[in-house]
Amino acid sequence: MIMKKNRRNKKIISVVTKWLVLAVSVACVLSMVFTYLILYERTQNDVYKLLEQNSHDLINDVYRQTDEDFLWNRVGHYQAEIATANLKYPEILNADFEEHSDEYDEYSVINNEGKITASSERELCGENVLTSNKKNYEGVARVLKDYLKRKDSLKKVSVLISYGDSEELCMALDGKRKLYYYGMSMQDWSGVIVYGVNQELYDNNCDAESSEIATYRHIGREGYMLVVGRDDLLIYGGTTGARYAESFPHPELVSDMVEVDYQMEREGEKITRGRADFYGVPSYYAISGIKNTLVVAVYPVSEAHESMDRTLRYTLATEIAVFLVLFILILLLEKKLVINDIHRVNETLNSITQGDLEAKADVRRTYEFDALSTDINTTVDKLKLLIKEAEERIDEELALAAKIQSSFIPHEFPPFPDRDEFELYASMIPAKEVGGDFYDYFFVDEDHLALVMADVSGKGIPAAMFMVMTKDELRHSVMKHGTDVAEAAREVNLELIKENDAGLFVTVWLGVLTVSTGHVDYVDAGHEYPAISHAGGEFVADEDEHSIPLAARKKAKFDAGSFILSPGDILYLYTDGVTEANDSEGEMFRRSRMLEALNSDREAPVQDIDDNVRKAVAEFVQDAPQFDDTTTLCLRYKGK
């Protein structure tokens, strides 16, 4: 009972430890992500509020300054005195209107009862704007009503202004146009002098004021304001004064704000905001409209994120420190209870994976490791049994495959006892039980003998299967095309590519000997150069026409060549398993040693000539393992 309790406690500790590490890690990551998202969202909202507030303040200042400008800078307070005198001397009023007609369109004096006592529209003098129901009196009536409402309070200050609803266009007194109306009290408080300003003049003044005001506006340390023309999108004002009259760098941001309703501009309802690069600096922006211009507030992202970055770094450092402390504590606990035993199990598993199937796992301190050790040992025992059975089965299958492969290659010599125009011998020794090399010879007709030497890429059963298919296709195609070996190779290439999912290829030397004349038509598809001995001379490599291997490319071109064998000439074909045989030092046998072995006894029967090469290879490699198939074919042409 005590043992079971201890085992249960240890198992719980292991599970708790694992999930605690995971929980702490996930909590740390989620906390960082959550903190970042909150800080990022809050920073963005604060930045956009700051930009929108600056834009709103600038627009309000522009309209306020514009209104004041028309009352004071353009009209001038002194005209209140002139207007008072003009009640008695109308000609002075008219002369003054003519002098200032470029600054306003209409100039009227209205007493406290609403009667127009003097006006640039002379025919209206005597009309009462308060009692009349004419639409074109609404503008001046609003100014007068506002003045009368605030008359007592206005007397307490030196600036005597009545705005009325000056931000709205009102019908002019002549009923033919719309104007902005402004009012100023008479010096003796007997009425107001009302000025009417046309929209173009008002808008131009707004543009000028916005450019001037924006020049002195800063947002934070490096933020700034731009004033951009709606029509030409050129910069007319802002703290980037050096860029005056440059094109706005992001016309796509303001394309939907070119036609903004004026009322929306005044109420601040049309604002575009986001992030973009301004003059190479990633920045937040907010764009709002004001008359003929756009106000762009720009604030660098780096400055906006300074506070967020500081908070994030502090939070990150704190959470990492907490996580490290927890992790170290958990690691020490795990090392004591789990990791040391895991190392012992891993040592056993490493021995097993390196081939020591006699190694045993013997870690029994906890319930889990006891079960694990038992399972490992049971698995290894079953694995040894399966390996033994698989080896026996593979040996049987490879032996059968080698027997089947051997049956596809002719190996009776002499192959054609009734033909005395040539001697022929060939042999193949695979590096494994089955290989990819093969040779073949057969009569196309009574006077044409086909000779094939081939080497399939790869080794083992896949190469052997591809070899059988290649041999069959070559024989079929050569029987069809005869001495047109180039066409035969092209046809075989297309067939092999169709059935070549494994991506194998094969080098082939294919020749057709005209027995009666000794003429040989051949195609060398990436194979080794044949060795030829002419008229009793030494064997030399015949560097013939070369093409690419079969099954390497679908639209491959194969060039045919030819040569003549005279009586007594010897043709020797081979695969690279001969020339590339390695000794224990890794040195290759090479073609020069093969030619030397061939020349050692050129008058010998063709089988002995081939044996001389094989003996030379065996003496060279000695105990080094054979890594490639060695396949050869030797033909001595005798003629008729």
Side-chain angles (χ1 to χ4, degrees):
M1 180 63 71
I2 294 177
M3 179 63 69
K4 290 183 179 180
K5 183 177 180 181
N6 289 339
R7 287 181 176 178
R8 186 178 298 111
N9 289 340
K10 291 176 181 178
K11 182 176 181 181
I12 292 174
I13 290 174
S14 175
V15 172
V16 169
T17 300
K18 180 183 69 174
W19 285 105
L20 184 59
V21 171
L22 180 61
V24 170
S25 302
V26 171
C28 181
V29 172
L30 291 178
S31 176
M32 287 304 305
V33 171
F34 186 68
T35 302
Y36 174 80
L37 292 177
I38 291 178
L39 290 175
Y40 184 80
E41 183 67 22
R42 187 177 68 183
T43 299
Q44 273 201 330
N45 290 337
D46 291 345
V47 169
Y48 287 136
K49 287 180 181 178
L50 175 65
L51 295 179
E52 291 170 10
Q53 185 61 48
N54 274 267
S55 299
H56 179 72
D57 291 346
L58 186 144
I59 291 174
N60 285 342
D61 289 347
V62 167
Y63 282 112
R64 182 173 63 253
Q65 186 62 38
T66 300
D67 293 341
E68 292 177 356
D69 187 44
F70 279 117
L71 282 171
W72 295 103
N73 298 335
R74 288 187 175 276
V75 178
H77 185 269
Y78 73 94
Q79 293 194 43
E81 300 175 3
I82 295 176
T84 304
N86 284 348
L87 293 175
K88 299 177 180 180
Y89 306 102
E91 64 275 6
I92 299 177
L93 172 64
N94 298 332
D96 183 70
F97 176 75
E98 294 295 335
E99 180 183 351
H100 296 279
S101 60
D102 61 332
E103 297 173 342
Y104 42 83
D105 291 87
E106 193 177 277
Y107 186 29
S108 301
V109 178
I110 308 172
N111 64 22
N112 291 336
E113 287 73 35
K115 183 178 180 180
I116 300 175
T117 59
S119 174
S120 57
E121 307 293 329
R122 299 177 186 179
E123 67 277 8
L124 300 179
C125 291
E127 294 281 346
N128 192 303
V129 299
L130 293 179
T131 60
S132 174
N133 57 2
K134 291 183 179 179
K135 281 284 186 182
N136 47 326
Y137 289 166
E138 288 183 355
V140 294
R142 288 178 183 176
V143 176
L144 179 62
K145 290 176 181 178
D146 187 53
Y147 158 73
L148 294 174
K149 185 190 304 182
R150 298 193 293 157
K151 180 179 178 183
D152 293 337
S153 62
L154 286 173
K155 290 181 179 180
K156 298 176 183 179
V157 296
S158 58
V159 180
L160 309 177
I161 301 172
S162 176
Y163 284 97
D165 294 323
S166 57
E167 72 274 9
E168 293 184 11
L169 282 167
C170 299
M171 184 66 69
L173 291 176
D174 59 10
K176 299 178 180 178
R177 51 191 169 163
K178 287 189 175 183
L179 303 175
Y180 292 100
Y181 280 101
Y182 297 89
M184 183 178 296
S185 70
M186 303 293 287
Q187 195 173 42
D188 58 359
W189 305 98
S190 61
V192 292
I193 177 171
V194 180
Y195 306 101
V197 181
N198 65 66
Q199 180 177 336
E200 180 179 2
L201 186 59
Y202 184 87
D203 289 352
N204 290 339
N205 197 79
C206 281
D207 295 344
E209 293 295 344
S210 61
S211 298
E212 182 177 356
I213 292 174
T215 302
Y216 301 99
R217 289 292 174 93
H218 289 266
I219 305 174
R221 297 192 312 274
E222 301 177 8
Y224 52 88
M225 308 287 290
L226 292 176
V227 176
V228 183
R230 287 185 192 273
D231 296 331
D232 50 18
L233 294 184
L234 296 180
I235 298 173
Y236 291 110
T239 52
T240 56
R243 304 188 185 277
Y244 181 82
E246 282 189 10
S247 296
F248 184 61
H250 293 286
E252 73 280 358
L253 300 180
V254 298
S255 60
D256 62 338
M257 296 188 67
V258 173
E259 300 294 339
V260 178
D261 181 77
Y262 290 156
Q263 186 64 30
M264 292 178 68
E265 295 170 5
R266 298 302 296 267
E267 296 176 3
E269 296 176 2
K270 183 65 176 181
I271 294 181
T272 298
R273 64 186 191 178
R275 282 181 59 166
D277 280 4
F278 280 82
Y279 309 109
V281 178
S283 305
Y284 290 100
Y285 66 85
I287 305 174
S288 54
I290 174 171
K291 294 304 177 184
N292 293 325
T293 57
L294 298 168
V295 176
V296 183
V298 182
Y299 195 45
V301 171
S302 58
E303 183 177 345
H305 287 188
E306 284 179 357
S307 176
M308 182 189 77
D309 292 342
R310 284 194 300 270
T311 303
L312 198 61
R313 286 195 296 270
Y314 174 78
T315 304
L316 178 62
T318 302
E319 292 189 358
I320 288 177
V322 172
F323 175 76
L324 285 176
V325 171
L326 290 175
F327 181 78
I328 290 172
L329 292 175
I330 293 170
L331 185 63
L332 292 175
L333 185 62
E334 273 196 325
K335 184 176 181 180
K336 181 178 180 181
L337 299 177
V338 179
I339 294 177
N340 290 338
D341 286 347
I342 289 177
H343 286 323
R344 292 175 59 191
V345 172
N346 281 340
E347 290 174 0
T348 303
L349 289 174
N350 286 335
S351 299
I352 293 172
T353 56
Q354 292 174 6
D356 183 10
L357 298 183
E358 301 302 323
K360 296 292 184 181
D362 189 21
V363 180
R364 308 290 181 180
R365 183 165 58 177
T366 65
Y367 171 82
E368 291 82 3
F369 283 106
D370 183 20
L372 179 60
S373 297
T374 301
D375 290 344
I376 290 174
N377 294 334
T378 302
T379 301
V380 171
D381 290 339
K382 291 182 178 179
L383 179 62
K384 288 191 291 185
L385 180 60
L386 292 174
I387 290 174
K388 183 178 179 180
E389 293 175 352
E391 288 176 345
E392 293 175 354
R393 185 169 59 255
I394 291 172
D395 289 342
E396 293 174 359
E397 292 177 353
L398 288 176
L400 179 60
K403 185 176 180 180
I404 294 172
Q405 182 187 19
S406 177
S407 67
F408 283 97
I409 299 175
H411 50 77
E412 293 185 3
F413 301 100
F416 309 108
D418 57 339
R419 304 299 292 258
D420 56 2
E421 299 97 332
F422 56 85
E423 290 180 47
L424 178 63
Y425 178 77
S427 66
M428 183 189 76
I429 301 177
K432 297 184 178 181
E433 286 80 353
V434 290
D437 286 9
F438 72 93
Y439 62 83
D440 197 9
Y441 48 82
F442 54 90
F443 271 101
V444 180
D445 54 38
E446 288 296 323
D447 194 33
H448 292 92
L449 175 66
L451 302 173
V452 179
M453 180 61 62
D455 184 0
V456 177
S457 62
K459 298 292 179 288
I461 292 178
M465 294 175 66
F466 198 71
M467 176 271 285
V468 172
M469 182 171 61
T470 304
K471 179 179 177 295
D472 182 65
E473 292 292 344
L474 280 169
R475 180 174 285 237
H476 174 76
S477 187
V478 172
M479 292 297 293
K480 177 180 177 182
H481 296 286
T483 58
D484 190 357
V485 289
E487 179 60 22
R490 187 193 69 81
E491 186 177 274
V492 172
N493 181 66
L494 293 176
E495 291 299 323
L496 291 181
I497 286 178
K498 291 180 183 177
E499 307 294 337
N500 190 16
D501 294 338
L504 299 174
F505 63 87
V506 55
T507 65
V508 176
W509 192 95
L510 167 64
V512 176
L513 168 66
T514 302
V515 179
S516 60
T517 64
H519 182 86
V520 178
D521 294 290
Y522 71 88
V523 166
D524 192 336
H527 200 71
E528 300 292 320
Y529 294 129
I532 301 178
S533 171
H534 287 291
E538 291 190 346
F539 277 93
V540 295
D542 180 33
E543 297 187 357
D544 54 13
E545 294 285 342
H546 250 56
S547 303
I548 68 171
L550 298 181
R553 191 170 65 233
K554 184 176 183 179
K555 295 183 179 180
K557 180 182 178 182
F558 297 95
D559 298 320
S562 64
F563 57 85
I564 298 294
L565 291 178
S566 301
D569 290 355
I570 305 173
L571 173 66
Y572 190 76
L573 305 176
Y574 56 95
T575 62
D576 58 6
V578 176
T579 55
E580 295 181 3
N582 291 340
D583 64 7
S584 57
E585 301 297 325
E587 183 180 353
M588 291 192 296
F589 184 68
R590 299 189 184 280
R591 187 193 302 160
S592 58
R593 290 188 177 89
M594 182 192 74
L595 293 176
E596 182 180 347
L598 288 172
N599 290 321
S600 64
D601 189 2
R602 294 189 299 277
E603 302 301 326
V606 290
Q607 181 173 353
D608 292 343
I609 293 175
D610 184 62
D611 287 344
N612 289 337
V613 174
R614 294 193 175 277
K615 288 177 183 178
V617 172
E619 291 175 358
F620 177 78
V621 300
Q622 294 184 0
D623 296 332
Q626 179 184 346
F627 289 106
D628 202 357
D629 304 340
T630 57
T631 307
T632 57
L633 183 149
C634 188
L635 178 140
R636 175 182 278 123
Y637 179 68
K638 295 181 178 180
K640 289 190 177 181

